[in-house]
Amino acid sequence: MRIDLHTHSTASDGTQSPADVIASAAQAGLDVVALTDHDTSSGWPEATAAADRSGLRFVPGVEISCLLRGVSVHLLSYLHDPEDPALVRMLTESRTSRESRARRMVDRLGPDTGLCWEDVQEHVHGPATIGRPHIADALVARGVVADRDEAFATLLSGRGKYFVPQTAPDPVEAVRVVRAAGGVPVIAHPAASKRGSCIDDDEVAAMAQAGMAGLEVDHRDHSDAERAHLRDLATALGLFVTGSSDYHGAGKRNLLGENTTEPESLARIDEIAAASRLAHPA
Ligand code: AMP
Ligand code: ZN
Ligand code: FE
Ligand code: FE
């Protein structure tokens, strides 16, 4: 059983449509794949239909942008009610903030690179959640940088002068909203120190206290030492662990199935979601 619980499509900053992500997952020999676009569940219907055709199991998810002390925290949620009003409101606010933040970054980049908002919009599919990868694609199209990697290493770096943070919910609050929406919260790449600052173990514990259920341990942005530490932390806090690719199509080097999740962890996700549906029938 090969299970990959973290991928992105053109509903956010991936380069393949939800149906194509599912087709690629089947081709990669996966049995189960989750779609976890940033701050949106809009890819679910297309992915569900594609999974019905290909015979693999689709797990609906989302990756929620959060901020704590100015540190970016990504919270995965699986199997939540996509129409839960509080969750919908939180995700809508995040997408709105992402758009104004992207506009401000383009305003800063414009004088030095010639970039304008229309250039960026050409790379955003319809109502997709906008992010720095779309600005990167526009910079590539203008010939300013060679690829997304170079854009993130230079102009779009979180430490650079063009960077503007988005506003985003507190992670403990987000965990509560996800649980109330029947979802199963798992913190994404909690120790990815090469991306920027990370939250500490006490802050992860506070999220667990609020109902967070799992830690994404096997992720390419974690070193062996970071994985070992996270496994111990998960045991101490009674959390399950996952492993995932964080696939973005051609937008990143991450390959489908490069890290996978044990069936026991998927079973815990199903159990927690089922218990929540029993406690709060729709
Ligand atoms: P944002 O959400 O707008 O702050 O942009 C961060 C997103 O860009 C994350 O989803 C990352 O997966 C993606 N990202 C970060 N670094 C890179 C990179 N070097 N190449 C492509 N995508 C990246
Ligand atoms: Zn992304
Ligand atoms: Fe992430
Ligand atoms: Fe991701």
Side-chain angles (χ1 to χ4, degrees), residues 117-206:
W117 184 241
E118 288 68 34
D119 295 337
V120 174
Q121 276 185 308
E122 274 177 38
H123 299 274
V124 185
H125 290 70
T129 304
I130 192 166
R132 280 181 285 166
H134 301 108
I135 305 177
D137 291 346
L139 290 166
V140 172
R142 274 202 159 260
V144 179
V145 292
D147 53 26
R148 283 186 178 185
D149 269 350
E150 189 189 336
F152 271 89
T154 59
L155 297 169
L156 302 183
S157 159
R159 300 175 180 93
K161 65 173 177 175
Y162 304 107
F163 180 78
V164 177
Q166 69 166 119
T167 55
D170 174 85
V172 167
E173 176 57 18
V175 165
R176 293 204 180 99
V177 171
V178 163
R179 285 305 289 256
V184 183
V186 175
I187 183 170
H189 46 71
S193 55
K194 63 181 173 187
R195 288 177 174 226
S197 308
C198 297
I199 60 173
D200 64 30
D201 291 357
D202 290 341
E203 290 164 332
V204 173

Side-chain angles (χ1 to χ4, degrees), residues 19 41 48 51 72 89 93 131-132 190-191 210 233:
S41 312
T48 303
S72 166
R89 197 177 321 121
E93 277 171 14
R132 280 181 285 166
L233 183 62

